[in-house]
């Protein structure tokens, strides 16, 4: 069986195929730029003979029907722990797979109904991400290199989560606290799904009424997570406080520095840094240097300088 429509398939690394696993979708190999020939039929086992053939042919990428993408992603999520532990799979492939899972997971959170099962998927994703970072000294750098240069709410949440976890490890936090930081970073903007998209995606300046609506999103985030069964009270507090400022000018409650959770101060720094260094429809991205200088010069009274200084040192090492 052959396919001749390149747009109907997507590529995956050969290294993620599991020997002795039965795949309930067909897998293809590229013959030329337009022709894809069946490598493994639907409901067949990928055995050592197939694996040897692929290696002998120096095939690094195989292809799957676009219509089977969800099945493939479910397979990857099921086996990501063993993929992370497999020393033969390059770091960049592992990082890309984790990033792909994160995109699918967070996009699902924003586009569909939030429930406790989705929150559990976030927990599993973060545990695997931390395990990956801890297994290799260069893993975090590999993950940071694939953060998005373009700002979309869901990719922004993934990037903020990555910075939070990396920074937490740099600060010497234990694994549970790093996971808490990462989860807060991933879910901090979930409340924006309950704000009219025309406001969220508006290219021009927001009106005062629209600003007031947007500034409700931290409260919406915390409330919705609690309603859907999130048991961690501190997580809810961090999410609600991530736009509070040390000088009392933040929202939603105008808290003073001593009233703000330390982890909310960290999420705030990672949130702002990523927003400044990603491209939007109305502005270009800033360099790391320019973003940090702006944060010091324009936001010095708003941000926690203790964590900002450590964040700068973290970026130099990352």
């Amino acid at each position: 069986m052959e396919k001749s429509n390149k747009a109907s398939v997507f590529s995956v690394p050969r290294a993620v195929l599991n020997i002795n696993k039965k795949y309930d979708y067909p897998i293809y190999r590229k013959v030329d730029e337009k022709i894809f020939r069946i490598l493994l039929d639907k409901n067949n086992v990928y055995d050592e003979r197939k694996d040897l053939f692929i290696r002998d042919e120096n095939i690094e990428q195989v292809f799957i029907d676009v219509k089977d993408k969800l099945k493939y992603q479910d397979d990857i999520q099921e086996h990501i722990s063993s993929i992370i532990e497999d020393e033969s799979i390059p770091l960049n492939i592992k990082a890309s797979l984790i990033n792909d899972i994160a995109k699918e997971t967070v996009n699902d959170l924003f586009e569909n109904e939030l429930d406790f099962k989705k929150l559990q998927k976030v927990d599993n994703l973060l545990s695997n991400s931390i395990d990956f970072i801890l297994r290799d000294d260069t893993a975090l750098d590999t993950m940071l290199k694939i953060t998005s240069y373009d700002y979309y709410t869901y990719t922004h949440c993934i990037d903020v989560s990555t910075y939070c976890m990396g920074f937490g490890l740099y600060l010497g936090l234990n694994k549970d606290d790093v996971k808490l930081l990462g989860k807060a970073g991933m879910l901090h903007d979930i409340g924006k799904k309950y704000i009219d998209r025309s406001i969220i995606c508006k290219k021009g300046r927001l009106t005062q009424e629209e600003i007031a609506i947007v500034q409700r999103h931290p409260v919406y985030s915390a409330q919705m997570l609690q309603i859907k069964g999130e048991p961690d009270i501190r997580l809810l507090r961090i999410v609600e406080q991530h736009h509070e400022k040390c000088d009392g000018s933040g929202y939603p409650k105008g808290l003073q520095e001593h009233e703000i959770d330390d982890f909310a101060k960290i999420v705030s720094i990672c949130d702002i840094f990523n927003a400044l260094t990603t491209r939007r429809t109305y502005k270009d991205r800033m360099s790391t240097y320019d973003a940090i200088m702006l944060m010091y010069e324009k936001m010095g009274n708003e941000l926690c300088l203790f964590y900002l200084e450590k964040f700068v040192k973290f970026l130099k090492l990352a």
Side-chain angles (χ1 to χ4, degrees):
M1 178 180 174
E2 291 186 351
K3 296 179 72 69
S4 59
N5 185 0
K6 187 175 182 179
S8 68
V9 297
F10 64 97
S11 66
V12 302
R14 180 270 307 164
V16 303
L17 296 179
N18 287 320
I19 295 176
N20 296 326
K21 173 178 170 55
K22 179 189 287 187
Y23 287 89
D24 60 353
Y25 46 85
I27 299 174
Y28 300 86
R29 63 185 177 94
K30 181 188 283 189
V31 177
D32 61 31
E33 285 303 311
K34 295 183 178 180
I35 302 296
F36 300 85
R37 185 167 295 157
I38 195 74
L39 174 69
L40 188 72
D41 280 313
K42 180 179 178 179
N43 293 325
N44 278 14
V45 174
Y46 180 73
D47 56 22
E48 292 184 356
R49 182 176 58 84
K50 285 287 186 185
D51 190 62
L52 182 61
F53 168 77
I54 286 181
R55 293 174 185 274
D56 287 344
E57 294 292 317
N58 292 318
I59 297 173
E60 295 298 327
Q61 298 286 320
V62 295
F63 297 82
I64 296 172
D65 277 313
V66 171
K67 64 181 177 61
D68 293 321
K69 190 169 187 177
L70 288 179
K71 292 180 181 179
Y72 163 75
Q73 289 172 338
D74 286 343
D75 279 342
I76 292 298
Q77 290 198 45
E78 181 181 348
H79 298 287
I80 190 64
S81 295
S82 59
I83 291 172
I84 290 171
E85 293 172 0
D86 191 336
E87 300 293 342
S88 69
I89 300 178
L91 280 177
N92 64 313
I93 290 179
K94 295 178 184 178
S96 294
L97 290 173
I98 291 172
N99 189 256
D100 288 343
I101 293 172
K103 286 179 180 177
E104 191 65 31
T105 301
V106 178
N107 189 54
D108 187 29
L109 291 175
F110 276 93
E111 296 300 324
N112 300 303
E113 186 65 27
L114 183 64
D115 57 38
F116 187 67
K117 185 176 180 180
K118 290 186 174 69
L119 295 179
Q120 288 180 311
K121 287 181 69 174
V122 171
D123 282 331
N124 292 336
L125 168 63
L126 293 171
S127 293
N128 286 317
S129 298
I130 294 168
D131 287 343
F132 172 61
I133 293 170
L134 291 175
R135 286 185 69 87
D136 192 288
D137 291 340
T138 62
L140 176 62
D141 183 54
T142 306
M143 288 187 70
L144 290 176
K145 283 179 179 176
I146 57 175
T147 53
S148 178
Y149 284 144
D150 294 297
Y151 185 100
Y152 300 97
T153 300
Y154 77 97
T155 55
H156 168 68
C157 290
I158 296 167
D159 295 346
V160 172
S161 179
T162 303
Y163 280 114
C164 283
M165 289 188 289
F167 188 34
L169 289 170
Y170 170 80
L171 292 173
L173 301 179
N174 63 50
K175 189 173 179 178
D176 287 341
D177 281 345
V178 171
K179 184 176 178 179
L180 173 61
L181 261 180
K183 190 172 184 179
M186 190 162 286
L187 298 173
H188 73 287
D189 274 347
I190 192 67
K192 286 184 177 178
K193 70 181 288 179
Y194 303 106
I195 295 175
D196 193 290
R197 189 165 293 192
S198 65
I199 297 177
I200 297 296
C201 300
K202 186 175 180 179
K203 295 181 180 180
R205 188 180 297 274
L206 298 179
T207 65
Q208 287 301 311
E209 182 181 2
E210 290 168 336
I211 290 173
I213 292 172
V214 171
Q215 289 182 346
R216 295 298 297 166
H217 81 267
V219 174
Y220 296 156
S221 297
Q223 288 178 343
M224 188 50 57
L225 289 171
Q226 186 173 34
I227 290 170
K228 296 302 180 180
E230 174 53 54
D232 193 326
I233 300 301
R234 190 180 184 191
L235 173 72
L236 301 178
R237 182 168 65 246
I238 297 165
V239 166
E240 187 177 58
Q241 292 181 356
H242 77 274
H243 276 296
E244 298 289 355
K245 306 299 181 187
C246 292
D247 62 0
S249 65
Y251 60 86
K253 295 181 178 178
L255 300 178
Q256 297 295 320
E257 181 171 8
H258 69 278
E259 300 175 291
I260 305 171
D261 191 291
D262 276 1
F263 283 11
K265 296 172 185 176
I266 291 173
V267 172
S268 178
I269 289 170
C270 296
D271 179 23
I272 291 169
F273 175 77
N274 183 251
L276 291 174
T277 55
T278 49
R279 184 168 42 240
R280 304 204 192 192
T281 54
Y282 55 86
K283 76 169 186 68
D284 201 359
R285 61 184 294 268
M286 281 188 175
S287 67
T288 295
Y289 175 81
D290 288 342
I292 291 298
M293 290 305 296
L294 186 148
M295 292 169 75
Y296 267 116
E297 294 174 0
K298 303 293 185 182
M299 306 176 192
N301 293 329
E302 301 174 359
L303 302 175
C304 175
L305 290 179
F306 173 79
Y307 286 120
L308 182 57
E309 289 172 0
K310 288 187 176 296
F311 185 71
V312 172
K313 294 176 181 178
F314 157 70
L315 290 176
K316 289 179 179 178
L317 293 175

